[in-house]
Amino acid sequence: MDWGLLLPLILCAAGVPLAAALGADLRSARAVRIAGAALALLPLAAVVALAARLPEVVSGGAPSLVLPWMPSAGLAFSLQVDGLGLLFALLVTGIGALVVLYSGFYLDHDPAAPRFLATLMAFMTSMLGLVMAGDLFTLFVFWEGTGIASFLLIAHRRDDPAARRAALKALLVTGAGGAALLAGFALLAHAAGGTAFDALRAAGDGLRDHRLYPVMLGLVAAGAFSKSAQFPLHTWLPDAMAAPTPASAYLHSATMVKAGIYLMARLNPMLGGTETWFWLLSLTGFATMLLGAYRGLRRNDLKAVLAYSTVGQLGVLMMLIGQDTAIAFKAMVIGVLAHALYKSSLFMAAGIVDHGAGTRDLRRLGGLRRAMPATFVVALIAALSMAGLPPLAGFLAKETLIATAVHPSDSRAFDLAMTAGTVLAGALVLAQAATVIHRTFLGRAGSAASRAHEAPALMVFAPAIPAAASLVFALLPEPAGLAAFLAQAAEAAHGATVKVSLAVWAGLSPPLLLGGVAMSLGVAVFLHRRRARDLEGGGAPWTWGDRAYEVVLRGVDAAAAAMVRVQDGRLRRYLVVMLAALGGLLVLFGAVPLPEATPGGGVPPGGWVRVFAALVALGAALASARLRDDLLAVLALAASGLSVALYIALEPAVDVALVQVVVDILTTVVLVLALRRLPRGPAHEPRVPERLRGAVPAIAAGVVMAAVAYAALSSRPRESVVTPFYEANAVARTGASDVVGAIVVDFRGYDTLIEITVFAAAGLGVAMLLGAARRGRPAGEARAAATVGVAGPRTSPFLHLLAWVVLPLALMMAATRILYGHDQPGDGFTAGVTVSLGVALWHAVFGLAATRRRLRWARPRALIGAGLVLAMAGAAAPVLAGQAFFSPFDFGHAVGLPLPPGVHFGTAMVFELAICLTVLGSAVHGLESLGGAAPLPAAGKKEDAR
Amino acid sequence: MNLLLALAIGGLFGTGVHQLLRRSVVRSAIGLVILSNAMNLLLLTTGAYDGAVAAYATLQGTHSDALPQALILTAIVISMGGFSFVLALLLLLSARHRSDDIDRFTELRH
């Protein structure tokens, strides 16, 4: 457990809130610059923390940290840093520090600079986590994090539609790749029986021989190819240049696009070395290399040239991983390092040009060397490295690349192709580099040259560091420490020893000669670059990816439009469609097969009463459908519900029957109150055809449901797995002889807590919708109505008396329910509803205002709040006694209170009381607002209906 | 008995759907209540044990299945809450359109 590994991650993550918090205070350009410089100290500290690991890692160590995350699913948050990871981690934080510093200058006039900086820090955290991850799923989480950050950074200029489109494209392409990657990782983890990279390495042979190997490899490669812009998924990367230049320098050249490279290098010891691996990576990389090298030559946008050359370099790296030889991995690590250095430097220089000259269109640039001398020198060094000239890092990268190409591999033919391809690509890249320098800084002064000015020193400092580094690391006489470190990185990817030497002069050798050929070819291409452009074609293969992307997007749009057309806004049609879909699913999944009729079903003893109850329930429901008068229909519904309650009581399920009775009454009251406030529009008695149309889905639904019910009743298991547990433990664990009550209040207390919360929310929702929540006096007519009672001005003295008597009775009943709920039928819910019905009677008889005045305790919101707080407190109380949240606890017994038999003063009673209070409050709230007379808003007043 | 019960549940369900699909707001709300009654009845009667007495530790004899009972207790309460909320929404809509005809609620039409 090496907790220190968290330090660099925490340092970067700390930058997110810090940068975001700056938001309001960055009023001047100066403040933004200072903020950027200060923020850069965090990744700088991370660099130091990571560099401190160098001695340990170079000597072969791999410090790790594993924190359990979801142990039951075998998931852990796992970090591990070996040579490969450390190389990338240092690049991420090192270049990150420079880019953050640079961003402060680049965005000094952008009011959204804090958002950009915060997102940049979030990206840095994700990217750092990605390369430090020690297992598949930790890596995946960070992988997706980089994708989201990239989306936000590309779309930084929110009001620019092109930026939004580019961001969406990047998100969709890499996101789809991420989904494939997740599937591939799941297969890998399943096949290897573990998710840690150590476990995967140990299972290497088993993985390569696994029958799903091609699927795993395909899915993982799809993820890596999309992220690392391999042909034909590369199309998002040139578009992503819509991002502010610091993001392009950082994400889209130096770090994020190398995530796919990193992943394949990381997985090479587990999945690599097969023929599939070789051809898949080699050919994809080869095609990408040539595509990038050729396409970059033609762009007029400075950043687009750099973007395509990045695509080409990513192809080179992918191809190298496919070779799986020691020299290839040596070429890969040198290539990663050299490219990150010169490309980030060039991008930042391009940003300075854009900033200083106001454009990055090569047609308007030129001759800037006088106006921007420092930037010119920096860009020149970086471009020389890109061109692969000695004595720069790029030269070493190109030499080892060509050496790999001439090194014999599995296929003679591919060796030849690779040699020719790398020489050609090298030539084209040299021409690109020359073009960039020539058209920007040399030659005739362009139209933008007059107002060009040099950037502040610190801003040029940022690209100068990597440019200088590419010079220094090749100039130092054999920097042994660096060579050993790179060897360690290459070994982690190769799985075997790799020797790395960084000598610029290694004697006259075939690679050196071929490098010379590439160089002279490149100069020739540069001189004749105008002719090379005519080779562009319309239906070229590099447009396939773009076209496929557009076809898919159009398809999604068309599907969405079709969906919208189906939804014509008629609610009743929606219902029919939903019911039909439900029925269709039931039939489709065979939920309706009629089982053999079980003989001897017969009518159980006392069953005739059940038959009666079922028939009355059905008959009353049918009557409610037939009755013309709405009020009579509601009463018929009440009769139906009560018959259902009777059936439930005969089950016998006394608690449920009681709840059904009170809910039925409450429903009836609510419906009657609603009837009062319902406007009467023009009559709409259905004509016969319409009736028939309504009958068809009803009959179909009834038949399907009868079949489902019959199947369920006849084939249900006659032995429960769960119930015996509750039966056996109700008394022992909760002290309740009422098993149902024990389940509701104790065993499944959480459920009930949520249930009453929902009920409370429903009451509050009704009150809010109907406007009773508004404080203050109702005006005019409404006030008059509110003072005389819901039932109207004339109520008989008998009713007054009844209301006076009923409420205390209801309260007493509620009290007994709460006291004896654990051993007798009834519970807090029935208690609450009963009291609320008593209060509703007061509403009807005395009116809302009088009721509120006289029943001061019946304050809905206070009751709801008190109930929910009491419920939580009661659930939490056992924790004080050292028991679990929501565990049953008998305070009375613990303290030794003298209580009558059958009464337990414990958590259960507290909870019942809490339920009662909450339900009472919610029901009274709903009833008050339904019974109120405040007019509801009609169309055309405040909000238009449409 | 099973067949009879199944027919009753199916009948209740069909009636509920019929009511739910009517144009009148009240009838639609009534349909919703009938539907939930039908479903609760179905869930209750699919318990594993045909009890002679209710599930009380103090009572002798075959207990009825306590588990579905506890579950539909929750179901009844939640559907009551949901029902009143839907009813309030319907009331608002009918006030806005000055009609209790669901077909006149045109908010979703485009």
Side-chain angles (χ1 to χ4, degrees), chain A residues 567 572 652 716 718 723 737 939, chain B residues 21 47 50 57 64-65 96 110:
Chain A
Q567 301 185 358
R572 299 194 299 148
R716 69 190 141 141
R718 307 305 305 200
T723 310
S737 56
Chain B
L21 292 178
D50 289 330
S64 55
D65 197 344
R96 173 181 286 183
H110 49 83

Side-chain angles (χ1 to χ4, degrees), chain A residues 719-820:
Chain A
E719 198 60 49
S720 169
V721 191
V722 189
T723 310
F725 168 82
Y726 290 136
E727 288 272 357
N729 288 295
V731 178
R733 294 217 186 163
T734 72
S737 56
D738 178 358
V739 182
V740 178
I743 297 177
V744 169
V745 181
D746 284 316
F747 290 117
R748 301 180 59 87
Y750 268 117
D751 246 18
T752 308
L753 180 62
I754 295 167
E755 169 200 324
I756 59 169
T757 313
V758 169
F759 195 82
L764 288 167
V766 170
M768 265 174 226
L769 284 178
L770 299 184
R774 262 180 259 138
R775 302 238 158 196
R777 289 168 165 276
E781 179 192 7
R783 189 194 312 163
T787 47
V788 289
V790 175
R794 279 165 298 171
T795 42
S796 70
F798 174 69
L799 273 178
H800 281 240
L801 192 62
L802 193 65
W804 274 108
V805 174
V806 161
L807 192 57
L809 276 179
L811 283 169
M812 275 181 60
M813 203 151 106
T816 54
R817 296 270 162 81
I818 292 167
L819 286 177
Y820 294 97

Side-chain angles (χ1 to χ4, degrees), chain A residues 209-378:
Chain A
D209 296 336
H210 199 274
R211 100 195 128 80
L212 287 176
Y213 171 75
V215 183
M216 288 181 221
L217 177 57
L219 289 168
V220 170
F225 289 175
S226 70
K227 198 81 161 181
S228 283
Q230 300 292 306
F231 172 83
L233 302 174
H234 67 279
T235 60
W236 67 267
L237 186 54
D239 288 10
M241 292 302 126
T245 305
S248 310
Y250 191 33
L251 277 72
H252 305 125
S253 78
T255 56
M256 188 187 84
V257 287
K258 296 218 178 72
I261 304 294
Y262 169 80
L263 178 69
M264 295 316 264
R266 171 64 70 211
L267 293 180
N268 179 54
M270 302 88 163
L271 297 176
T274 65
E275 203 157 309
T276 327
W277 173 276
F278 172 77
W279 286 112
L280 181 66
L281 270 66
S282 297
L283 290 183
T284 309
F286 188 74
T288 312
M289 169 181 79
L290 289 181
L291 170 84
Y294 172 60
R295 293 276 291 164
L297 211 52
R298 221 192 105 79
R299 304 297 102 192
N300 281 321
D301 179 354
L302 183 53
K303 277 176 79 179
V305 177
L306 297 177
Y308 274 108
S309 92
T310 303
V311 169
Q313 180 63 24
L314 293 169
V316 167
L317 295 172
M318 196 57 86
M319 181 174 72
L320 285 171
I321 296 172
Q323 306 308 305
D324 192 31
T325 55
I327 188 165
F329 282 107
K330 175 186 163 189
M332 185 206 82
V333 290
I334 297 179
V336 165
L337 184 56
H339 179 254
L341 293 177
Y342 72 69
K343 197 52 73 61
S344 61
S345 177
L346 274 177
F347 261 114
M348 285 192 267
I352 295 176
V353 168
D354 193 2
H355 217 240
T359 180
R360 44 174 220 257
D361 188 334
L362 289 172
R363 283 166 299 196
R364 299 179 55 205
L365 294 171
L368 291 181
R369 67 184 179 285
R370 287 212 183 77
M372 315 174 92
T375 311
F376 170 58
V377 171
V378 166

Side-chain angles (χ1 to χ4, degrees), chain A residues 569-575 678-679 682 684 690, chain B residues 18-30 86 89-91 93-94 97-109:
Chain A
R570 289 166 184 266
L571 295 174
R572 299 194 299 148
R573 190 165 296 172
Y574 287 19
L575 274 175
L678 207 60
H684 46 78
E690 195 177 336
Chain B
H18 174 66
Q19 297 271 70
L20 192 65
L21 292 178
R22 284 174 71 167
R23 285 168 70 173
S24 154
V25 166
V26 188
R27 301 306 172 120
S28 196
I30 290 178
V86 167
L89 279 177
L90 285 173
L91 272 183
L93 279 172
S94 44
H97 295 281
R98 297 195 181 89
S99 163
D100 63 341
D101 181 356
I102 289 182
D103 279 359
R104 285 173 180 265
F105 301 172
T106 49
E107 271 82 358
L108 279 177
R109 213 163 281 174

Side-chain angles (χ1 to χ4, degrees), chain A residues 487-753:
Chain A
Q488 200 62 45
E491 271 171 34
H494 184 38
T497 319
V498 180
K499 275 168 89 179
V500 174
S501 85
L502 296 172
V504 175
W505 177 252
L508 216 54
S509 62
L512 191 64
L513 294 176
L514 285 168
V517 172
M519 228 176 286
S520 26
L521 198 59
V523 172
V525 171
F526 172 67
L527 294 176
H528 296 276
R529 60 185 183 280
R530 294 217 165 68
R531 229 171 285 169
R533 289 201 189 137
D534 299 332
L535 290 170
E536 288 284 319
W542 47 79
T543 59
W544 293 346
D546 269 332
R547 282 207 210 146
Y549 176 76
E550 274 158 29
V551 167
V552 170
L553 270 204
R554 267 203 301 276
V556 171
D557 280 350
M563 247 359 246
V564 169
R565 268 197 299 280
V566 170
Q567 301 185 358
D568 65 349
R570 289 166 184 266
L571 295 174
R572 299 194 299 148
R573 190 165 296 172
Y574 287 19
L575 274 175
V576 173
V577 170
M578 280 188 233
L579 283 168
L582 181 64
L585 285 177
L586 281 174
V587 174
L588 193 67
F589 290 106
V592 205
L594 285 182
E596 306 293 317
T598 39
V603 177
W608 290 111
V609 194
R610 290 196 198 194
V611 173
F612 169 76
L615 286 179
V616 174
L618 181 57
L622 285 170
S624 84
R626 289 292 304 164
L627 285 168
R628 288 262 169 112
D629 188 282
D630 282 341
L631 186 61
L632 290 180
V634 170
L635 293 180
L637 171 73
S640 173
L642 286 176
S643 309
V644 169
L646 175 60
Y647 192 98
I648 295 175
L650 294 168
E651 179 64 14
V654 202
D655 294 77
V656 186
L658 263 175
V659 170
Q660 172 69 24
V661 168
V662 294
V663 163
D664 187 63
I665 297 174
L666 186 60
T667 306
T668 312
V669 172
V670 163
L671 270 171
V672 170
L673 287 176
L675 271 183
R676 281 176 56 250
R677 303 187 70 175
L678 207 60
R680 294 289 144 177
H684 46 78
E685 265 311 302
R687 287 185 303 275
V688 175
E690 195 177 336
R691 273 196 197 180
L692 279 180
R693 252 185 292 154
V696 172
I699 291 170
V703 169
V704 170
M705 193 41 69
V708 169
Y710 188 65
L713 288 170
S714 320
S715 59
R716 69 190 141 141
R718 307 305 305 200
E719 198 60 49
S720 169
V721 191
V722 189
T723 310
F725 168 82
Y726 290 136
E727 288 272 357
N729 288 295
V731 178
R733 294 217 186 163
T734 72
S737 56
D738 178 358
V739 182
V740 178
I743 297 177
V744 169
V745 181
D746 284 316
F747 290 117
R748 301 180 59 87
Y750 268 117
D751 246 18
T752 308
L753 180 62

Side-chain angles (χ1 to χ4, degrees), chain A residues 849-870:
Chain A
T851 308
R852 255 185 230 146
R853 208 168 47 241
R854 292 190 200 165
L855 303 180
R856 292 204 173 274
W857 48 268
R859 287 195 205 150
R861 295 178 167 211
L863 285 171
I864 293 175
L868 287 178
V869 168
L870 188 62

